[in-house]
Structures are given as C-alpha cells and as structure tokens.
Amino acid sequence: MNDTQAIAGVPMKWVGPLRISGNVATTETKVPLATYESPLWPSVGRGAKVSMLVERGIVATLVDERMTRSVLVTAEDAQTAHLAALEVDARFDELRDIVRGCGRFTELIGFRHEITANLLFLRFEFTTGDASGHNMATLAADALLAHLLKSIPGIAYGSISGNYCTDKKATAVNGILGRGKNVVTELLVPRDIVRDVLHTSAADIARLNLRKNMIGTLLAGGIRSANAHYANMLLGMYLATGQDAANIVEGSQGVTVAEDRDGDLYFSCTLPNLIVGTVGNGKGLDFVEENLTRLGCREEREPGENARRLAVITAATVLCGELSLLAAQTNPGELMRAHVKLERESATTKVGG
C-alpha cells in the first residue's frame, strides 16, 4: 500500500445563489458544499431560493470574534493560584506587547481564569486577522506562558493547553465567552413564500422548532445547542474552503428560533462558535483557492475582512439548510421521499459544479 500523500475526493456542488445583507457583506453568491449526502444540495438550494425572494435576503450580523487558547499552571495551593491570576490581570498591557512580538496579525484582547484546587487555568483571547488562528493563538500562548513562569513566583508548568479553550469539543464555555466568529442570521419570509416554496406554514415551522429543537434537545441533554443539523452545512462549507473540519464539533452548537408573525415566518440561526479562516493551513490547495476566490474572499481588504465575509456566507448557508429541513419535517414522509429519490439519482449520475 502506498502511504504517500493523496487527495480524498469528496463530491462538491455549487448551490444557490443566496442573498445576504448585514454589517459585514451585502452580496448574492452561490456556495460550494462538499458532501457525500447529496440531498443536502437541493435542500440548501431551496433555502437559498427563499432568500432570493426576500428583498434583504438573509441578514447576517457578526457580533463578536476571537480565538482562544487556555494554558494550565500549577501552584502550591489555591491562594497562590489566586494571587498569580491577579498578577496576570495587572500585567495585561505587558502581555499584549509580548503577543505583538509573535506576529503582526495577532492581538491579545482579553483573558479569563478559572481556579480549581491548586490548578490555575488561564484562557487567553486573541484576534488573528484572516486566519482561523489555532496555531497563532498557541504560539502566542506559549510565549505568554514562558514569560509568566519566569516572572510570577509560586507557579509551575502544567500544559500549553488546559482544555478550557475549548478546541473541538462540545462545551458551554465557548458559547458563553466566545470562540471564533459569533454570527446571527435572520430571515423574514412572507406567508405566500412559506406556502408556495416551503409547502408549509409559519405556525407549523414554529411549532416544530419548539418541540423538536428546543424541547427535544433539552431532553437529550444538549449543550448550548438547539438546532436540527447545523453540522451538515458546516461540514460541506468547511471541506470546500479548506477549514479544519473537526471544528464543526463546537461550530454546530447553535440555536434556531422560529416565530409565526401573523402568518409570516421569522427564522433565525445563531452560531456563536463559527471558526473559519481564509489564509493558513489548508488554504493552499488549488480547489480551495478557486472556491475562496469565487466567494469573494480573496480580495484586497483590511486584515480580517475576508474571514468575516466567509463567516457570514457560511452562517447564511447554515440557515438555508436549517430552514429547508424543518419545513420538510412538518410534512409526513417528505424528508424520506426526498432522500430516497435524490440518493438514487446521485448513484447513477456524476456531480458537477
């Protein structure tokens, strides 16, 4: 068996276009989805069609962005750990200067701490330009940790990562404190479009969202999450744009809200842990470069703006798929009929762009 590097081919299709407005981008664009689940393409396509029929389309609001890395230090006791945490806070400006020496696009914007017994967890928060920022945050945290161990008495090395970040795990801390891009998407769909395109009603979607996404997830013990399938759209976009696909673990933690507004449907998806970048590892592949260029995420802009654009496009794509699936699930048998029909078709046809 040949162990040399190869490319694993995943079927990809461009879907849409979808319409987006908001505080980052106003655009109409198709989106690339790489997936083995072929029914995802027409499902997202139906949501995209709805967005094109609404004047403002999907309104995407980026409310926060930060990449985090937590380090772990040990102390003799909790009091010593507490004094060390206070010292870190007092030296914040000094620590910012250290981080600026690690790279011109890395900026320390905050830190949090947690003490358990004699263990001190320090969660550093950074902005990282157009990169998703995993390695940049770790490099900066490593420099900060080395400096703190030399300059603050009573503490010793525990780990460069203390799991309080939290990276690629389903936790509450990311949704509460933020990790990656926090994007809220909203769409107000007139009742006739709900009826004619989604083949349902605002009341039925709102009812299903409450019973399935809210109550069902509560009973299942979900962690800061109430949605039907954010992970499907995230994985499709992540594979197509060179992201670290494991970040869909925290990325798929989000909340869907649906309201019946006198027959019109208000539909919203909030993604507080959306981790994407337009530069860095994985972005040098030819197909990734082509996809990012086609999405308008390779333009000459201020640092961070291309990554923000990709974030809101990704979040809008999530809304399209979420809306379409919930609409289908309000009608008995529709979901399974679509899967059987489309998966049989894809088994006999080739996928194109």
Side-chain angles (χ1 to χ4, degrees), residues 80-249:
T80 304
H82 178 58
L83 292 173
L86 295 176
E87 186 70 17
V88 173
D89 188 46
R91 297 186 179 201
F92 186 76
D93 289 340
E94 173 186 323
L95 300 182
R96 289 183 70 182
D97 289 337
I98 291 173
V99 170
R100 286 168 180 158
C102 297
R104 61 195 180 104
F105 297 116
T106 312
E107 184 79 14
L108 179 66
I109 59 173
F111 102 97
R112 317 281 179 133
H113 76 271
E114 187 87 17
I115 297 172
T116 296
N118 65 324
L119 305 178
L120 173 60
F121 298 82
L122 300 170
R123 188 179 194 266
F124 296 109
E125 304 169 347
F126 310 92
T127 56
T128 55
D130 281 308
S132 59
H134 299 85
N135 293 335
M136 293 165 70
T138 302
L139 177 66
D142 194 50
L144 291 173
L145 180 57
H147 176 75
L148 295 174
L149 291 174
K150 287 190 297 183
S151 58
I152 296 180
I155 58 173
Y157 177 82
S159 175
I160 183 56
S161 178
N163 260 14
Y164 191 56
C165 310
T166 295
D167 188 31
K168 301 166 186 172
K169 288 168 278 290
T171 63
V173 70
N174 287 344
I176 296 171
L177 300 182
R179 190 170 198 261
K181 307 287 194 291
N182 186 329
V183 183
V184 180
T185 56
E186 302 169 283
L187 183 64
L188 186 60
V189 189
R191 67 176 70 198
D192 59 331
I193 297 176
V194 177
R195 180 191 63 237
D196 297 340
V197 180
L198 297 174
H199 310 300
T200 186
S201 69
D204 284 347
I205 290 180
R207 186 181 303 112
L208 177 62
N209 185 62
L210 172 63
R211 293 173 174 175
K212 169 191 170 74
N213 284 345
M214 300 295 182
I215 297 175
T217 304
L218 172 68
L219 295 177
I223 301 174
R224 285 192 65 88
S225 193
N227 67 77
H229 71 144
Y230 287 10
N232 268 330
M233 288 71 73
L234 287 179
L235 181 60
M237 285 292 290
Y238 275 25
L239 292 179
T241 59
Q243 310 304 316
D244 188 337
N247 282 129
I248 68 169
V249 176

Side-chain angles (χ1 to χ4, degrees), residues 42-84:
S43 180
V44 172
R46 182 165 71 154
K49 179 180 179 180
V50 171
S51 77
M52 294 295 291
L53 295 172
V54 177
E55 183 178 358
R56 298 183 68 193
I58 298 165
V59 181
T61 304
L62 188 143
V63 299
D64 189 54
E65 60 180 318
R66 61 193 63 228
M67 178 47 65
T68 64
R69 175 58 69 196
S70 70
V71 302
L72 169 62
V73 298
T74 63
E76 183 178 345
D77 51 33
Q79 183 176 357
T80 304
H82 178 58
L83 292 173

Side-chain angles (χ1 to χ4, degrees), residues 313-327:
I313 292 173
T314 301
T317 303
V318 168
L319 182 144
C320 290
E322 183 80 353
L323 173 62
S324 186
L325 178 67
L326 284 179

Side-chain angles (χ1 to χ4, degrees), residues 7 12 34 239-242 282 284-292:
I7 298 294
M12 189 191 81
L239 292 179
T241 59
L285 298 173
D286 289 343
F287 80 92
V288 170
E289 182 74 28
E290 180 181 344
N291 290 347
L292 289 173

